[in-house]
Amino acid sequence: MSDPSLIELVAGLAAGHYSSEELVGDRLQRIERAQPQLNTFTSVMPERALDAARAADQARAKGSRSPLLGLPIAHKDIFCTRDVRTSCGSRMLEAFVPPYDAAVVERLTAAGAVTLAKTNMDEFAMGSSNENSYFGDVKNPWDVTRVPGGSSGGSAAAVAAGLVPAATGTDTGGSIRQPAAFCGISGIKPTYGRVSRWGMVAFASSLDQGGVFARSAADCALMLESMAGFDRRDSTSVDRPVPRYGEALERPLKGLRIGLPRPYFGEGVNDVIRARIDSAVALYRDLGCTIQEVDLPHSELAVAAYYVVALAECSSNLSRFDGVRYGHRCKNPASLEDLYERSRSEGFGDEVVRRILVGTYALSAGYYDAYYLQAQKVRRLIAGDFEQAFEEVDLLLSPTTPTTAFSLGEKSQDPVSMYLSDVFTVAVSLAGLPAMSIPVGLDAGLPIGMQLIAPHFAETRLLNAAHAFQLASDWHLQRPEAFS
Amino acid sequence: MSISREQVINIASLARIAIEKVDIGSYQGAMSDILDFVGHLDAADTTDIEPMAHPLDLVQRLREDVVGEENRRDDFQAIAPETEQGLYLVPRVIE
């Protein structure tokens, strides 16, 4: 079996070219071969997956036409899975087996998808390289000496290596878009509130949003249709109908106004990336789009504002891990204080501890106004920049990252330089906008990602524009040689 | 260094995280780097700007005050480090 897209697999299953059991069995074999090289997964569930695949085949025989029936997928290990360990890449949750499924897992399972594995990730989704996992680094399938990006690095690497045709992820400041760019695949972060956060381990609640990785925009559209939608169990879930994203993919782009944010084309962007983005822009012009530059005047404040907000929320969210109700507990605690302090210090890795400490500081008496409140005000300025830009254009286009995938170890000792690799993705998160990254070229054998950004709830437009690019180019079909 | 060793110790205690003495210096360095980096937020003119806590203009939804979830205490306690007769156990707090 070669490497068909999700949509081709839907057709292949429907036509009876193969059964779900055969398909799942094949992908499980690929996983077994690739895992020692890439370390993409924290858990693999072969028996459960094969049972579910056989059940899907039986349901199909009885006439079921669920949209994702029998398709193999993987979930980022941040989504709770009933009776399957959900580690969040942390020692803290090394033995945590949730008694319920996250909303995203429920929905995709109800749509017929078969979960093969849980993907490796930066601990508690904190990182941009997947080097912060308690379960070890994930390697980039294009070059195993390089990072896959993070925090959803395992999901991105798994899709890029053809181990699963689609995988879920979460994006707080770029954790879907940046790994999609580094691994040469398509990834979408929907509008904040579009996909339920229920059962998704919280990092920064005003930013966290679930999304998906796949080979193409069309595949992302298919997945998102089943994932998105209102959920009363998530207090910030938005009650709006979910459009049929797949049906709008082929709309002509003629007349679409695309804006190029000036600050995202400045110094620091590698020349080859710039050239590939320029040719993508030329392609959109050929498709009848108008192109203009736009300003996002407060861009240079985005990374700082993002890290203050995210770290403050992280320190508050992670206070729930106290060694009492679930998660790691230290041995022989001498007192309740000792129980809290040692359980947390043993359970959390270095980057998580750094972030909790900085977040605690930013929220502490005397510093709250200077850091947290000021960051929230800057957040409004940044959101206002986008609102203004979207009065002139329908979509924004930029590089996803200033460089291609960096080497393992290159930035892991320097948190600030790691944070700066998120320079083009965090502003979008602060504003809660939908955005995606799609591959637009290679530099020295490493993928280059292009970011498309849309106004709130305009996922349809985003997917439509990404799909039009993919119809007219073949970068999304490129595969890492070692895994093709 | 934007913050002192004493501040690191105090913050770690507020965050209920035990830090080894030998690690204080490296946390002090990393936290100072991060705080220096975010320090330029000061320069932004935010006069009359409302803080933005959330990306969407949402209002808190209300629901009828009725039981909406089944009681699954046994399931949730099954994954706790230590329980007894339906209670979570911690070291003695009151002598």
Side-chain angles (χ1 to χ4, degrees), chain B:
Chain B
M1 293 285 174
S2 322
I3 55 170
S4 63
R5 283 178 72 87
E6 289 63 38
Q7 280 178 300
V8 175
I9 295 166
N10 180 41
I11 295 159
S13 146
L14 288 174
R16 299 287 184 271
I17 293 179
I19 292 185
E20 299 283 338
K21 251 201 178 113
V22 292
D23 294 331
I24 295 174
S26 77
Y27 281 115
Q28 185 191 1
M31 289 175 70
S32 294
D33 287 350
I34 297 169
L35 291 169
D36 288 345
F37 168 69
V38 301
H40 72 272
L41 285 176
D42 278 358
D45 180 4
T46 52
T47 322
D48 300 330
I49 303 291
E50 279 287 299
M52 176 172 163
H54 204 273
L56 303 172
D57 292 323
L58 295 177
V59 286
Q60 191 63 52
R61 288 192 306 273
L62 300 176
R63 62 166 176 80
E64 293 303 311
D65 185 15
V66 292
V67 176
E69 295 202 25
E70 56 177 318
N71 183 359
R72 295 182 61 199
R73 184 165 75 173
D74 291 347
D75 291 341
F76 288 105
Q77 292 215 320
I79 57 171
E82 218 181 336
T83 60
E84 197 179 293
Q85 297 177 344
L87 301 171
Y88 292 97
L89 294 191
V90 295
R92 180 185 294 273
V93 180
I94 302 165
E95 290 300 330

Side-chain angles (χ1 to χ4, degrees), chain A residues 158-175:
Chain A
V159 172
L163 310 181
V164 281
T168 56
T170 58
D171 191 315
T172 302
S175 285

Side-chain angles (χ1 to χ4, degrees), chain A residues 82 96-97 99-100 192 206 230-232 234-238 300-301 303-305 308 323-327 329 333 335-337 339-341 344-345 350 353-354 356-358 360-361 367 371 374 376-381 383 416 419-420 430-432 456, chain B residues 2-3 7-8 11-19 26-27 30-31 33-46 49-61 63 69 72 75-77 79-83 88-93:
Chain A
R82 187 173 188 144
F96 172 54
V97 177
Y100 65 100
Y192 181 86
S206 80
F230 178 62
D231 179 4
R232 64 179 64 254
D234 169 359
S235 63
T236 58
S237 174
V238 175
E300 62 182 30
L301 299 168
V303 181
V308 172
V324 175
R325 287 156 304 159
Y326 63 106
R329 168 179 263 191
S335 64
L336 189 56
E337 284 292 288
L339 167 70
Y340 293 150
E341 294 194 349
R344 288 164 65 75
S345 130
D350 277 352
V353 170
R354 274 197 289 270
I356 291 174
L357 294 180
V358 173
T360 304
Y361 180 77
Y367 300 98
Y371 288 102
Q374 176 70 353
Q376 284 191 317
K377 289 176 180 174
V378 171
R379 182 177 190 178
R380 186 169 302 279
L381 294 175
V416 171
Y419 297 174
L420 283 168
L430 287 169
H456 289 132
Chain B
S2 322
I3 55 170
Q7 280 178 300
V8 175
I11 295 159
S13 146
L14 288 174
R16 299 287 184 271
I17 293 179
I19 292 185
S26 77
Y27 281 115
M31 289 175 70
D33 287 350
I34 297 169
L35 291 169
D36 288 345
F37 168 69
V38 301
H40 72 272
L41 285 176
D42 278 358
D45 180 4
T46 52
I49 303 291
E50 279 287 299
M52 176 172 163
H54 204 273
L56 303 172
D57 292 323
L58 295 177
V59 286
Q60 191 63 52
R61 288 192 306 273
R63 62 166 176 80
E69 295 202 25
R72 295 182 61 199
D75 291 341
F76 288 105
Q77 292 215 320
I79 57 171
E82 218 181 336
T83 60
Y88 292 97
L89 294 191
V90 295
R92 180 185 294 273
V93 180

Side-chain angles (χ1 to χ4, degrees), chain A residues 286-302:
Chain A
D286 290 346
L287 293 173
C289 303
T290 61
I291 311 291
Q292 68 180 87
E293 292 193 349
V294 295
D295 275 317
L296 297 172
H298 300 92
S299 291
E300 62 182 30
L301 299 168

